[in-house]
Amino acid sequence: GAGVSQSPSNKVTEKGKDVELRCDPISGHTALYWYRQSLGQGLEFLIYFQGNSAPDKSGLPSDRFSAERTGGSVSTLTIQRTQQEDSAVYLCASSLEAGGRKFFGPGTRLTVL
Amino acid sequence: QQPVQSPQAVILREGEDAVINCSSSKALYSVHWYRQKHGEAPVFLMILLKGGEQKGHDKISASFNEKKQQSSLYLTASQLSYSGTYFCGTDGSSNTGKLIFGQGTTLQVKP
């Protein structure tokens, strides 16, 4: 059984460009979460999905950040007009049900030059 | 509100014990513990759901005092493989799975 996968694994972009980060959760997992981890820091909550709905977007740092989930499966996190402070590892996690054990993907390391 | 973990870092010799604490200023529905090794994704250790609940996983166990809004992770007879950063994640009363993680406790086990 495949785990959570994320792509790309690394992304280097120039300031001001838009980026899309993809997360493929474990099949059948209804809940999906996005976290951000800056170098040497903890895990910062961004957004979570229950099915295709995002009941809580409170963690998104600014309106440059958006996310969607389609078909109750794949999720995309989009960052518009990237800034240097957006540089971090973006982690996606899924769980069979809300509140359950989370399975994290390997993350996407984003570097904004 | 981010939970507070203590200590921030600890160095042990193999076979020694350690306790990592996680304290919240808000009422909690559950506490989750994860371990992250350098350059890897966090890996699930355990979930504690009820006040006063204790759980064990090999030589790693944890307790959750709902009243005190605190949880502790106990590592007994530590092994080299226990090295990593430990995070507690707290879920408020809604059980959405939205975890707010502490800043982490770095554990280094030496031979």
Side-chain angles (χ1 to χ4, degrees):
Chain A
V4 177
S5 60
Q6 293 185 244
S7 60
S9 54
N10 276 285
K11 177 71 178 179
V12 180
T13 191
E14 293 180 347
K15 179 181 170 181
K17 300 280 190 184
D18 298 351
V19 296
E20 281 191 355
L21 312 180
R22 177 186 168 110
C23 172
D24 283 86
I26 293 172
S27 178
H29 280 197
T30 62
L32 185 149
Y33 307 83
W34 283 98
Y35 284 87
R36 178 169 75 172
Q37 188 170 34
S38 301
L39 189 63
Q41 299 298 307
L43 299 154
E44 177 190 3
F45 170 79
L46 297 178
I47 187 171
Y48 90 92
F49 291 89
Q50 183 59 45
N52 292 333
S53 301
D56 191 335
K57 304 178 183 180
S58 62
L60 294 177
S62 73
D63 58 9
R64 296 186 295 105
F65 287 72
S66 63
E68 64 175 11
R69 188 180 185 193
T70 55
S73 181
V74 172
S75 177
T76 303
L77 179 68
T78 301
I79 309 173
Q80 295 178 309
R81 305 182 303 281
T82 52
Q83 303 293 312
Q84 287 183 333
E85 61 263 26
D86 299 336
S87 295
V89 175
Y90 289 80
L91 290 162
C92 172
S94 70
S95 61
L96 190 59
E97 55 188 11
R101 166 184 180 172
K102 287 181 176 46
F103 293 81
F104 280 85
T108 293
R109 180 175 298 279
L110 175 67
T111 303
V112 182
L113 302 176
Chain B
Q1 194 85 13
Q2 185 179 40
V4 176
Q5 288 185 233
S6 62
Q8 287 187 329
V10 59
I11 299 175
L12 298 174
R13 292 285 180 190
E14 262 188 302
E16 291 182 338
D17 302 340
V19 179
I20 300 171
N21 298 303
C22 176
S23 184
S24 174
S25 59
K26 296 177 71 174
L28 301 175
Y29 181 89
S30 65
V31 178
H32 302 221
W33 287 95
Y34 287 79
R35 176 172 63 207
Q36 184 178 33
K37 293 184 180 283
H38 184 69
E40 298 180 8
V43 173
F44 172 81
L45 292 176
M46 63 189 77
I47 297 174
L48 299 113
L49 290 173
K50 299 177 184 176
E53 185 182 25
Q54 294 201 36
K55 273 193 172 182
H57 172 73
D58 195 8
K59 289 179 180 157
I60 300 175
S61 61
S63 63
F64 176 26
N65 187 318
E66 188 180 338
K67 226 175 186 177
K68 292 185 178 179
Q69 295 163 189
Q70 292 176 347
S71 178
S72 294
L73 187 71
Y74 307 93
L75 299 109
T76 306
S78 58
Q79 305 167 17
L80 295 176
S81 61
Y82 286 4
S83 295
T85 302
Y86 290 77
F87 293 98
C88 69
T90 56
D91 193 348
S93 57
S94 55
N95 193 29
T96 60
K98 170 190 170 182
L99 298 182
I100 305 300
F101 284 95
Q103 280 299 97
T105 295
T106 301
L107 178 75
Q108 185 180 2
V109 181
K110 293 186 172 182

mmCIF file with all atom_site columns, all heavy atoms in Angstrom, chain A residues 13-27:
data_model
loop_
_atom_site.group_PDB
_atom_site.id
_atom_site.type_symbol
_atom_site.label_atom_id
_atom_site.label_alt_id
_atom_site.label_comp_id
_atom_site.label_asym_id
_atom_site.label_entity_id
_atom_site.label_seq_id
_atom_site.pdbx_PDB_ins_code
_atom_site.Cartn_x
_atom_site.Cartn_y
_atom_site.Cartn_z
_atom_site.occupancy
_atom_site.B_iso_or_equiv
_atom_site.pdbx_formal_charge
_atom_site.auth_seq_id
_atom_site.auth_comp_id
_atom_site.auth_asym_id
_atom_site.auth_atom_id
_atom_site.pdbx_PDB_model_num
ATOM 1   N N   . THR A 1 13 ? 11.981 28.616 -6.726  1.00 0.00 ? 13 THR A N   1
ATOM 2   C CA  . THR A 1 13 ? 11.273 29.589 -7.542  1.00 0.00 ? 13 THR A CA  1
ATOM 3   C C   . THR A 1 13 ? 11.781 30.988 -7.240  1.00 0.00 ? 13 THR A C   1
ATOM 4   O O   . THR A 1 13 ? 12.444 31.217 -6.230  1.00 0.00 ? 13 THR A O   1
ATOM 5   C CB  . THR A 1 13 ? 9.761  29.504 -7.295  1.00 0.00 ? 13 THR A CB  1
ATOM 6   O OG1 . THR A 1 13 ? 9.065  30.279 -8.263  1.00 0.00 ? 13 THR A OG1 1
ATOM 7   C CG2 . THR A 1 13 ? 9.407  30.014 -5.899  1.00 0.00 ? 13 THR A CG2 1
ATOM 8   N N   . GLU A 1 14 ? 11.450 31.892 -8.122  1.00 0.00 ? 14 GLU A N   1
ATOM 9   C CA  . GLU A 1 14 ? 11.845 33.282 -7.902  1.00 0.00 ? 14 GLU A CA  1
ATOM 10  C C   . GLU A 1 14 ? 10.728 34.028 -7.197  1.00 0.00 ? 14 GLU A C   1
ATOM 11  O O   . GLU A 1 14 ? 9.536  33.752 -7.405  1.00 0.00 ? 14 GLU A O   1
ATOM 12  C CB  . GLU A 1 14 ? 12.149 33.951 -9.243  1.00 0.00 ? 14 GLU A CB  1
ATOM 13  C CG  . GLU A 1 14 ? 13.376 33.383 -9.934  1.00 0.00 ? 14 GLU A CG  1
ATOM 14  C CD  . GLU A 1 14 ? 13.647 34.062 -11.262 1.00 0.00 ? 14 GLU A CD  1
ATOM 15  O OE1 . GLU A 1 14 ? 12.748 34.784 -11.756 1.00 0.00 ? 14 GLU A OE1 1
ATOM 16  O OE2 . GLU A 1 14 ? 14.731 33.855 -11.818 1.00 0.00 ? 14 GLU A OE2 1
ATOM 17  N N   . LYS A 1 15 ? 11.096 34.972 -6.425  1.00 0.00 ? 15 LYS A N   1
ATOM 18  C CA  . LYS A 1 15 ? 10.130 35.820 -5.722  1.00 0.00 ? 15 LYS A CA  1
ATOM 19  C C   . LYS A 1 15 ? 9.133  36.395 -6.724  1.00 0.00 ? 15 LYS A C   1
ATOM 20  O O   . LYS A 1 15 ? 9.510  36.870 -7.795  1.00 0.00 ? 15 LYS A O   1
ATOM 21  C CB  . LYS A 1 15 ? 10.883 36.945 -5.018  1.00 0.00 ? 15 LYS A CB  1
ATOM 22  C CG  . LYS A 1 15 ? 10.024 37.920 -4.268  1.00 0.00 ? 15 LYS A CG  1
ATOM 23  C CD  . LYS A 1 15 ? 10.887 39.008 -3.629  1.00 0.00 ? 15 LYS A CD  1
ATOM 24  C CE  . LYS A 1 15 ? 10.017 40.120 -3.078  1.00 0.00 ? 15 LYS A CE  1
ATOM 25  N NZ  . LYS A 1 15 ? 10.824 41.205 -2.484  1.00 0.00 ? 15 LYS A NZ  1
ATOM 26  N N   . GLY A 1 16 ? 7.858  36.289 -6.358  1.00 0.00 ? 16 GLY A N   1
ATOM 27  C CA  . GLY A 1 16 ? 6.813  36.842 -7.207  1.00 0.00 ? 16 GLY A CA  1
ATOM 28  C C   . GLY A 1 16 ? 6.126  35.811 -8.095  1.00 0.00 ? 16 GLY A C   1
ATOM 29  O O   . GLY A 1 16 ? 5.052  36.080 -8.637  1.00 0.00 ? 16 GLY A O   1
ATOM 30  N N   . LYS A 1 17 ? 6.742  34.642 -8.237  1.00 0.00 ? 17 LYS A N   1
ATOM 31  C CA  . LYS A 1 17 ? 6.139  33.593 -9.056  1.00 0.00 ? 17 LYS A CA  1
ATOM 32  C C   . LYS A 1 17 ? 5.102  32.817 -8.250  1.00 0.00 ? 17 LYS A C   1
ATOM 33  O O   . LYS A 1 17 ? 5.122  32.809 -7.017  1.00 0.00 ? 17 LYS A O   1
ATOM 34  C CB  . LYS A 1 17 ? 7.215  32.608 -9.534  1.00 0.00 ? 17 LYS A CB  1
ATOM 35  C CG  . LYS A 1 17 ? 8.312  33.241 -10.366 1.00 0.00 ? 17 LYS A CG  1
ATOM 36  C CD  . LYS A 1 17 ? 7.875  33.449 -11.789 1.00 0.00 ? 17 LYS A CD  1
ATOM 37  C CE  . LYS A 1 17 ? 9.083  33.841 -12.645 1.00 0.00 ? 17 LYS A CE  1
ATOM 38  N NZ  . LYS A 1 17 ? 8.678  34.146 -14.037 1.00 0.00 ? 17 LYS A NZ  1
ATOM 39  N N   . ASP A 1 18 ? 4.192  32.156 -8.963  1.00 0.00 ? 18 ASP A N   1
ATOM 40  C CA  . ASP A 1 18 ? 3.207  31.291 -8.325  1.00 0.00 ? 18 ASP A CA  1
ATOM 41  C C   . ASP A 1 18 ? 3.720  29.855 -8.321  1.00 0.00 ? 18 ASP A C   1
ATOM 42  O O   . ASP A 1 18 ? 4.417  29.438 -9.254  1.00 0.00 ? 18 ASP A O   1
ATOM 43  C CB  . ASP A 1 18 ? 1.885  31.325 -9.096  1.00 0.00 ? 18 ASP A CB  1
ATOM 44  C CG  . ASP A 1 18 ? 1.249  32.708 -9.134  1.00 0.00 ? 18 ASP A CG  1
ATOM 45  O OD1 . ASP A 1 18 ? 1.729  33.615 -8.417  1.00 0.00 ? 18 ASP A OD1 1
ATOM 46  O OD2 . ASP A 1 18 ? 0.266  32.872 -9.879  1.00 0.00 ? 18 ASP A OD2 1
ATOM 47  N N   . VAL A 1 19 ? 3.355  29.104 -7.280  1.00 0.00 ? 19 VAL A N   1
ATOM 48  C CA  . VAL A 1 19 ? 3.726  27.690 -7.225  1.00 0.00 ? 19 VAL A CA  1
ATOM 49  C C   . VAL A 1 19 ? 2.526  26.849 -6.819  1.00 0.00 ? 19 VAL A C   1
ATOM 50  O O   . VAL A 1 19 ? 1.627  27.321 -6.117  1.00 0.00 ? 19 VAL A O   1
ATOM 51  C CB  . VAL A 1 19 ? 4.892  27.416 -6.235  1.00 0.00 ? 19 VAL A CB  1
ATOM 52  C CG1 . VAL A 1 19 ? 6.160  28.098 -6.691  1.00 0.00 ? 19 VAL A CG1 1
ATOM 53  C CG2 . VAL A 1 19 ? 4.537  27.826 -4.817  1.00 0.00 ? 19 VAL A CG2 1
ATOM 54  N N   . GLU A 1 20 ? 2.534  25.605 -7.286  1.00 0.00 ? 20 GLU A N   1
ATOM 55  C CA  . GLU A 1 20 ? 1.500  24.645 -6.905  1.00 0.00 ? 20 GLU A CA  1
ATOM 56  C C   . GLU A 1 20 ? 2.165  23.419 -6.307  1.00 0.00 ? 20 GLU A C   1
ATOM 57  O O   . GLU A 1 20 ? 3.082  22.854 -6.903  1.00 0.00 ? 20 GLU A O   1
ATOM 58  C CB  . GLU A 1 20 ? 0.689  24.222 -8.143  1.00 0.00 ? 20 GLU A CB  1
ATOM 59  C CG  . GLU A 1 20 ? -0.348 25.223 -8.566  1.00 0.00 ? 20 GLU A CG  1
ATOM 60  C CD  . GLU A 1 20 ? -1.296 24.647 -9.617  1.00 0.00 ? 20 GLU A CD  1
ATOM 61  O OE1 . GLU A 1 20 ? -1.078 23.502 -10.068 1.00 0.00 ? 20 GLU A OE1 1
ATOM 62  O OE2 . GLU A 1 20 ? -2.248 25.347 -9.979  1.00 0.00 ? 20 GLU A OE2 1
ATOM 63  N N   . LEU A 1 21 ? 1.684  23.026 -5.152  1.00 0.00 ? 21 LEU A N   1
ATOM 64  C CA  . LEU A 1 21 ? 2.199  21.848 -4.474  1.00 0.00 ? 21 LEU A CA  1
ATOM 65  C C   . LEU A 1 21 ? 1.080  20.814 -4.424  1.00 0.00 ? 21 LEU A C   1
ATOM 66  O O   . LEU A 1 21 ? -0.056 21.138 -4.086  1.00 0.00 ? 21 LEU A O   1
ATOM 67  C CB  . LEU A 1 21 ? 2.659  22.196 -3.055  1.00 0.00 ? 21 LEU A CB  1
ATOM 68  C CG  . LEU A 1 21 ? 3.548  23.439 -2.918  1.00 0.00 ? 21 LEU A CG  1
ATOM 69  C CD1 . LEU A 1 21 ? 3.913  23.664 -1.457  1.00 0.00 ? 21 LEU A CD1 1
ATOM 70  C CD2 . LEU A 1 21 ? 4.785  23.333 -3.768  1.00 0.00 ? 21 LEU A CD2 1
ATOM 71  N N   . ARG A 1 22 ? 1.458  19.559 -4.701  1.00 0.00 ? 22 ARG A N   1
ATOM 72  C CA  . ARG A 1 22 ? 0.434  18.532 -4.813  1.00 0.00 ? 22 ARG A CA  1
ATOM 73  C C   . ARG A 1 22 ? 0.572  17.490 -3.720  1.00 0.00 ? 22 ARG A C   1
ATOM 74  O O   . ARG A 1 22 ? 1.689  17.144 -3.319  1.00 0.00 ? 22 ARG A O   1
ATOM 75  C CB  . ARG A 1 22 ? 0.548  17.859 -6.177  1.00 0.00 ? 22 ARG A CB  1
ATOM 76  C CG  . ARG A 1 22 ? -0.414 16.701 -6.420  1.00 0.00 ? 22 ARG A CG  1
ATOM 77  C CD  . ARG A 1 22 ? -0.124 16.013 -7.738  1.00 0.00 ? 22 ARG A CD  1
ATOM 78  N NE  . ARG A 1 22 ? -0.841 14.745 -7.851  1.00 0.00 ? 22 ARG A NE  1
ATOM 79  C CZ  . ARG A 1 22 ? -1.863 14.529 -8.676  1.00 0.00 ? 22 ARG A CZ  1
ATOM 80  N NH1 . ARG A 1 22 ? -2.285 15.487 -9.476  1.00 0.00 ? 22 ARG A NH1 1
ATOM 81  N NH2 . ARG A 1 22 ? -2.460 13.347 -8.709  1.00 0.00 ? 22 ARG A NH2 1
ATOM 82  N N   . CYS A 1 23 ? -0.572 16.986 -3.272  1.00 0.00 ? 23 CYS A N   1
ATOM 83  C CA  . CYS A 1 23 ? -0.584 15.929 -2.259  1.00 0.00 ? 23 CYS A CA  1
ATOM 84  C C   . CYS A 1 23 ? -1.551 14.829 -2.694  1.00 0.00 ? 23 CYS A C   1
ATOM 85  O O   . CYS A 1 23 ? -2.718 15.100 -2.993  1.00 0.00 ? 23 CYS A O   1
ATOM 86  C CB  . CYS A 1 23 ? -1.020 16.493 -0.906  1.00 0.00 ? 23 CYS A CB  1
ATOM 87  S SG  . CYS A 1 23 ? -1.297 15.226 0.356   1.00 0.00 ? 23 CYS A SG  1
ATOM 88  N N   . ASP A 1 24 ? -1.034 13.595 -2.705  1.00 0.00 ? 24 ASP A N   1
ATOM 89  C CA  . ASP A 1 24 ? -1.868 12.423 -2.960  1.00 0.00 ? 24 ASP A CA  1
ATOM 90  C C   . ASP A 1 24 ? -2.016 11.648 -1.659  1.00 0.00 ? 24 ASP A C   1
ATOM 91  O O   . ASP A 1 24 ? -1.049 11.007 -1.229  1.00 0.00 ? 24 ASP A O   1
ATOM 92  C CB  . ASP A 1 24 ? -1.248 11.522 -4.029  1.00 0.00 ? 24 ASP A CB  1
ATOM 93  C CG  . ASP A 1 24 ? -1.438 12.059 -5.422  1.00 0.00 ? 24 ASP A CG  1
ATOM 94  O OD1 . ASP A 1 24 ? -0.594 12.875 -5.846  1.00 0.00 ? 24 ASP A OD1 1
ATOM 95  O OD2 . ASP A 1 24 ? -2.419 11.680 -6.056  1.00 0.00 ? 24 ASP A OD2 1
ATOM 96  N N   . PRO A 1 25 ? -3.170 11.698 -1.028  1.00 0.00 ? 25 PRO A N   1
ATOM 97  C CA  . PRO A 1 25 ? -3.314 11.015 0.264   1.00 0.00 ? 25 PRO A CA  1
ATOM 98  C C   . PRO A 1 25 ? -3.465 9.505  0.070   1.00 0.00 ? 25 PRO A C   1
ATOM 99  O O   . PRO A 1 25 ? -3.580 9.018  -1.055  1.00 0.00 ? 25 PRO A O   1
ATOM 100 C CB  . PRO A 1 25 ? -4.609 11.612 0.805   1.00 0.00 ? 25 PRO A CB  1
ATOM 101 C CG  . PRO A 1 25 ? -5.423 11.901 -0.429  1.00 0.00 ? 25 PRO A CG  1
ATOM 102 C CD  . PRO A 1 25 ? -4.411 12.332 -1.467  1.00 0.00 ? 25 PRO A CD  1
ATOM 103 N N   . ILE A 1 26 ? -3.471 8.809  1.182   1.00 0.00 ? 26 ILE A N   1
ATOM 104 C CA  . ILE A 1 26 ? -3.723 7.370  1.138   1.00 0.00 ? 26 ILE A CA  1
ATOM 105 C C   . ILE A 1 26 ? -5.174 7.154  0.694   1.00 0.00 ? 26 ILE A C   1
ATOM 106 O O   . ILE A 1 26 ? -6.081 7.853  1.172   1.00 0.00 ? 26 ILE A O   1
ATOM 107 C CB  . ILE A 1 26 ? -3.467 6.735  2.516   1.00 0.00 ? 26 ILE A CB  1
ATOM 108 C CG1 . ILE A 1 26 ? -1.961 6.814  2.837   1.00 0.00 ? 26 ILE A CG1 1
ATOM 109 C CG2 . ILE A 1 26 ? -3.952 5.292  2.562   1.00 0.00 ? 26 ILE A CG2 1
ATOM 110 C CD1 . ILE A 1 26 ? -1.598 6.389  4.237   1.00 0.00 ? 26 ILE A CD1 1
ATOM 111 N N   . SER A 1 27 ? -5.371 6.209  -0.190  1.00 0.00 ? 27 SER A N   1
ATOM 112 C CA  . SER A 1 27 ? -6.706 5.949  -0.722  1.00 0.00 ? 27 SER A CA  1
ATOM 113 C C   . SER A 1 27 ? -7.692 5.640  0.402   1.00 0.00 ? 27 SER A C   1
ATOM 114 O O   . SER A 1 27 ? -7.414 4.823  1.298   1.00 0.00 ? 27 SER A O   1
ATOM 115 C CB  . SER A 1 27 ? -6.642 4.754  -1.682  1.00 0.00 ? 27 SER A CB  1
ATOM 116 O OG  . SER A 1 27 ? -7.920 4.452  -2.182  1.00 0.00 ? 27 SER A OG  1
#
